[in-house]
Amino acid sequence: MEQHRTRPAQYGPRRSGAPLPAQGRGGAAAARPPVGRAAGRPVGRPVQPARPAPGAGSPVARVVRALRGMPNPRLTGLGSGLFCAAVMTLLGFLDGLLFGASLTVYGVLFVPVSLLTALWVRRGDLLTAPVVVPIAFAVGLVPVAESGDGLGGRLMGLVTALATEAGWLYGGTLVAGSAVIVRRIRLVRRRAAARNRPPAA
């Protein structure tokens, strides 16, 4: 005799037009996460905006970023001396043409040139920067200082300019020396940290 298949009562008869559940339909609906839950984020926790690092907008941080973005050559002791002397001589001629050989303008321009010289000299020649900076200051004063007739008059004008602008000379030399000391301390600390670092396994 022919036996008919029976279906349990709790399922009921299957209707031909009944829609399938979301898991059975597939596609984007099955892969879409539930509402209120993002991938890898708990429900109800708002997205926190990224906060800038402490001190990122301070003037010191901006100055540091500007210095890092500048060219960073490594000059030898002789190269740093030639660089500082050439720049100060050029600034002396420009000072004479644009500002009427103003010693104050020349002294103000000497300070950043001294700082750059101390920052750009290589590590092995750090101690030469405070030495070459005053020499470059005297060389650049030649087109700026008032000079009389002959070699004696030029020497007297140069000595007088050095005496009257000694403050700027000491100030620029102090800036260069301070930069050299800071670089030297950082170099010593890096070497000590490298010695104390455990060897890689």
Side-chain angles (χ1 to χ4, degrees), residues 35-161:
V35 178
R37 182 183 296 273
R41 184 170 58 87
V43 180
R45 181 176 295 177
V47 179
Q48 296 292 338
R51 296 181 178 180
S58 62
V60 177
R62 289 195 294 268
V63 171
V64 171
R65 286 196 298 268
L67 290 177
R68 287 180 177 177
M70 294 179 62
N72 192 19
R74 282 293 170 255
L75 303 174
T76 62
L78 179 60
S80 63
L82 293 176
F83 163 77
C84 191
V87 173
M88 292 311 302
T89 303
L90 178 61
L91 292 178
F93 280 110
L94 292 178
D95 183 19
L97 292 175
L98 301 177
F99 302 100
S102 173
L103 294 177
T104 303
V105 173
Y106 178 83
V108 170
L109 295 175
F110 172 68
V111 176
V113 174
S114 301
L115 179 60
L116 289 179
T117 304
L119 292 178
W120 287 352
V121 67
R122 66 183 183 180
R123 298 173 182 175
D125 298 325
L126 283 176
L127 298 180
T128 60
V131 177
V132 300
V133 162
I135 299 175
F137 183 86
V139 172
L141 270 179
V142 173
V144 181
E146 297 181 359
S147 58
D149 297 333
L151 181 60
R154 287 184 176 274
L155 289 176
M156 286 300 299
L158 181 60
V159 171
T160 303

